[in-house]
Amino acid sequence: MQDEISLVRRAQKNDSQALSELYEAYFDRIYRYVAMRVRNEMEAEDLTQQVFMKMLQSISGYKSQGVPFSSWIYRIAHNQVVDFLRQKNKKTTVDIDGLALQDTHDDPQSLVEKEYDVLELKKAMQNLTASQQEVLALRFTGEIPIAQCAEIMGKSEGAIKALQHSAVQALRRALAGNK
Amino acid sequence: MNQQEKLDQVLNEGMDRLFNGESIDRILADYPDLAAELEPLLRTVQNSRALARVQPRTEFKSRARYEFMTAIREKETRSKRRFTFNWRWQSPWAIALASILVVVLAGGGTLFASGYSMPGEALYAVKLTAEKAQLAVTFSDVTRAELNAKYAERRIAEIEYLATQGNADQIQIAAANLNYNLNNMSRISLGDYEATMSDEPPTANALMFNTESASVPGEEVSASSETTAQTTEAVTGGGAATFEADQASPELMRKAVVPDQSTETPVTPMAAPAAQPAVSAMEQAPSPDDVSTTLTPHIMVLNEPEPQIYTTAQDEDGSSPELTEKERIRRIIEENYQERQARLLAVLENAKPELRQAIKQAIAASEFEYWKAIRNLEMNPDP
């Protein structure tokens, strides 16, 4: 953590090596997060690039007072995704109540062994609300702690835990429905 | 805390533990009263691991990295422009000292920034010079092979980026430099790197499709134009005519396809242990023009030597094998080759028609240098 703080300080002084190291450290994670939030690979790529251009523009304004750099950059990604989805006026979510929910009493053995592929998961994710998708994107792709998720999403920790619970339940139902 | 909040909390703890590698059974054992509700949720999380493995496309990463570094340089340039300095108030010695300091302090940054430069940019020459300097002060063949593999990977990233920019001329330059690094690797595999190493930096034209054959100790320098031509044609997948027909640089292509016999050491199929069947396979290979429609990542592997399995008595005992220097070099060459060809083929698949020729040449040259390197290793095993 201390290393990252000093890296960020150097980056704030336009140290190109430090900027590059931060870029390399976060690029894949941010891409994964964005890719889970949008449907199209090209959109995910464009948005990921925009996140890092924003980072470059505004890193001098970042203040590390209690807010980890990772929360800050994910917040940029969150804002980019929200703006993008708003502009495109995409209906990215389906009311979970509208799903034809199936009995999820799976065969325990197959449940243990089954690992879903990305396409199955992305398809299932589309049945979650935007907030549910967001919390799972943060938790699954970046393994962001719940406190940081709360900072990024601007909600309380308790609210995020409840949201996460409902999101995992919804994902489970959606995956069962896709079978 | 009510039951719902308790389950929210326990699920969150369970997910954190799962992310840290703990098993579900162990987590559930700590929450026996909630296990029935918790288990299916944790299984869902575990079975969604694929999301954490999503990776951006390599080509996109190369392009994005390049554009990010360009933005950094532009930002630096803008901030330097804002900096004004009233030279009239400074004494000459102070100006001289300040100039030296600027050069010294900025030097590292320039060198660093050059690492992200692309063919056609001012700093690209700095990047190549730095690589060459690094090679010059490296004395282990294994490290040299590693460095050249690393630099070859950079050339691939350059080609990937340049393909997105539609710049065929610059792709040829990157491909020429790729060939230079690969040629270094085949020289290293010969075990005579110092003696055969050229001090001259690569020039794009001369190296565009370098069919120069590696010299093999013990072979007579009695070039047979027939066998050389056969090898050249085989390596290009029977595509020599295609290369000759390149109207953009006929002189270059003539030079590349018809080697100078006065300096050429021929590669005869008989001379190379794996060459005899492999050359036959190469003769049956599709022409480069067919690449886009017929190639899968393995079809361009025209002359892939038998994979070497590094098993030793120590392997069977369960201990880690001790590789010889040549085995380590071979492993570096093979690992680099597999990834390189896959990436070049991916570039070719998506390239605009006007870029395809340059990319095909890079693929053919890469193939040839790989074949040479492996053949050299097989001809000169460890004592």
Side-chain angles (χ1 to χ4, degrees):
Chain A
M1 183 57 79
Q2 190 58 41
D3 284 349
E4 185 168 272
I5 290 170
S6 64
L7 200 60
V8 171
R9 283 188 187 138
R10 283 168 47 211
Q12 288 180 309
K13 293 172 185 166
N14 279 346
D15 180 326
S16 53
Q17 189 155 1
L19 284 163
S20 170
E21 284 179 36
L22 286 173
Y23 176 89
E24 297 293 345
Y26 283 97
F27 189 85
D28 285 6
R29 282 195 276 169
I30 293 292
Y31 174 81
R32 276 197 290 274
Y33 164 77
V34 173
M36 269 185 78
R37 302 296 321 282
V38 298
R39 295 178 185 182
N40 183 309
E41 187 182 47
M42 298 299 283
E43 291 171 351
E45 292 181 350
D46 287 347
L47 282 168
T48 303
Q49 279 197 277
Q50 287 171 27
V51 169
F52 285 93
M53 291 304 174
K54 280 266 180 193
M55 178 196 94
L56 191 59
Q57 285 168 11
S58 50
I59 193 166
S60 57
Y62 164 71
K63 293 183 177 66
S64 63
Q65 296 160 337
V67 181
F69 180 76
S70 55
S71 294
W72 183 78
I73 193 167
Y74 271 99
R75 181 78 196 177
I76 294 176
H78 164 85
N79 290 341
Q80 289 292 117
V81 170
V82 169
D83 286 350
F84 171 79
L85 294 176
R86 192 180 293 138
Q87 281 170 16
K88 298 281 280 188
N89 197 23
K90 283 191 172 177
K91 185 172 171 58
T92 56
T93 61
V94 173
D95 186 350
I96 196 76
D97 294 330
L99 285 176
L101 299 181
Q102 297 188 358
D103 183 3
T104 54
H105 291 97
D106 305 286
D107 167 24
Q109 191 58 35
S110 66
L111 189 62
V112 171
E113 290 172 358
K114 169 76 173 175
E115 183 180 338
Y116 298 101
D117 67 30
V118 174
L119 284 178
E120 284 178 296
L121 289 163
K122 282 205 74 171
K123 190 177 168 195
M125 290 280 280
Q126 286 167 21
N127 295 305
L128 276 61
T129 67
S131 295
Q132 286 172 335
Q133 287 183 40
E134 168 98 47
V135 74
L136 293 190
L138 290 168
R139 294 288 276 149
F140 285 5
T141 65
E143 298 181 6
I144 304 289
I146 212 78
Q148 271 185 258
C149 291
E151 281 168 4
I152 294 163
M153 295 180 69
K155 296 178 190 286
S156 70
E157 280 189 43
I160 296 293
K161 284 177 189 166
L163 184 63
Q164 173 178 258
H165 186 175
S166 71
V168 175
Q169 281 181 322
L171 179 64
R172 179 171 172 251
R173 284 194 290 260
L175 287 167
N178 286 342
K179 281 182 183 174
Chain B
M1 188 182 286
N2 61 33
Q3 182 70 10
Q4 183 63 38
E5 287 171 342
K6 189 177 176 188
L7 191 54
D8 293 346
Q9 174 64 26
V10 167
L11 173 63
N12 188 54
E13 288 170 9
M15 285 175 67
D16 282 339
R17 291 170 64 178
L18 207 54
F19 292 149
N20 285 326
E22 279 194 55
S23 72
I24 289 179
D25 289 344
R26 180 159 182 175
I27 297 165
L28 293 176
D30 289 344
Y31 308 103
D33 53 329
L34 293 172
E37 288 171 274
L38 194 55
E39 181 174 7
L41 299 177
L42 289 179
R43 298 267 177 228
T44 301
V45 174
Q46 187 178 48
N47 295 339
S48 304
R49 285 176 302 218
L51 290 172
R53 293 196 293 266
V54 171
Q55 290 291 328
R57 293 181 303 124
T58 312
E59 183 186 319
F60 161 62
K61 279 187 84 168
S62 299
R63 176 169 54 84
R65 185 185 292 117
Y66 173 75
E67 289 176 5
F68 183 71
M69 294 311 298
T70 303
I72 290 176
R73 287 200 296 273
E74 285 171 358
K75 192 179 179 193
E76 281 175 348
T77 307
R78 281 198 301 274
S79 61
K80 278 175 189 166
R81 279 190 197 133
R82 280 199 291 273
F83 179 74
T84 56
F85 196 79
N86 190 345
W87 295 95
R88 285 178 296 177
W89 292 100
Q90 310 304 315
S91 64
W93 66 266
I95 292 170
L97 182 62
S99 302
I100 291 165
L101 278 174
V102 166
V103 169
V104 169
L105 294 174
T110 304
L111 193 58
F112 173 76
S114 75
Y116 293 90
S117 60
M118 290 284 159
E121 294 185 350
L123 288 178
Y124 188 65
V126 177
K127 179 181 182 178
L128 296 182
T129 304
E131 289 176 1
K132 202 163 188 298
Q134 179 73 46
L135 284 170
V137 295
T138 303
F139 301 102
S140 148
D141 275 353
V142 173
T143 312
R144 280 175 181 146
E146 285 171 343
L147 279 176
N148 276 293
K150 179 179 159 188
Y151 299 153
E153 194 277 334
R154 288 183 186 174
R155 303 293 92 81
I156 299 297
E158 289 163 9
I159 290 170
E160 286 170 339
Y161 170 74
L162 293 164
T164 68
Q165 303 297 300
N167 194 330
D169 290 343
Q170 298 300 341
I171 287 176
Q172 286 197 338
I173 291 172
N177 287 312
L178 169 66
N179 201 20
Y180 171 77
N181 291 124
L182 301 179
N183 191 251
N184 281 351
M185 288 170 84
S186 61
R187 287 169 189 274
I188 291 163
S189 66
L190 196 57
D192 197 16
Y193 179 81
E194 299 287 358
T196 58
M197 190 60 211
S198 165
D199 288 334
E200 292 301 313
T203 60
N205 288 353
L207 289 167
M208 187 52 244
F209 183 66
N210 183 1
T211 54
E212 175 195 2
S213 303
S215 55
V216 178
E219 276 188 2
E220 301 240 347
V221 186
S222 57
S224 155
S225 60
E226 188 181 333
T227 53
T228 307
Q230 180 188 5
T231 306
T232 304
E233 184 181 39
V235 168
T236 59
T242 306
F243 292 133
E244 282 179 320
D246 185 339
Q247 296 303 310
S249 52
E251 185 63 24
L252 159 67
M253 290 305 139
R254 189 196 61 74
K255 184 177 176 182
V257 173
V258 185
D260 179 358
Q261 291 179 24
S262 63
T263 57
E264 191 79 19
T265 304
V267 178
T268 64
M270 293 297 286
Q276 188 69 44
V279 167
S280 302
M282 288 195 292
E283 285 168 346
Q284 294 166 10
S287 79
D289 281 343
D290 296 333
V291 166
S292 63
T293 54
T294 61
L295 282 189
T296 64
H298 291 291
I299 294 177
M300 271 304 284
V301 182
L302 304 176
N303 187 22
E304 186 171 12
E306 287 295 314
Q308 183 144 326
I309 300 167
Y310 300 104
T311 52
T312 65
Q314 287 169 308
D315 272 332
E316 289 163 10
D317 295 342
S319 57
S320 54
E322 291 285 335
L323 298 183
T324 66
E325 187 177 66
K326 291 221 164 163
E327 285 169 336
R328 289 167 69 193
I329 290 170
R330 180 172 182 138
R331 178 174 283 184
I332 293 163
I333 289 169
E334 286 180 339
E335 285 174 355
N336 182 258
Y337 169 77
Q338 297 294 344
E339 188 193 341
R340 184 173 72 235
Q341 292 303 87
R343 286 173 67 181
L344 282 172
L345 286 166
V347 175
L348 181 66
E349 201 171 318
N350 299 312
K352 293 175 185 167
E354 65 269 24
L355 306 178
R356 299 177 65 80
Q357 183 69 5
I359 297 165
K360 283 176 195 171
Q361 286 172 332
I363 292 171
S366 162
E367 193 74 37
F368 182 54
E369 291 297 337
Y370 169 73
W371 176 82
K372 259 169 51 179
I374 297 298
R375 186 207 54 177
N376 287 345
L377 286 168
E378 288 177 353
M379 290 291 291
N380 303 283
D382 284 304

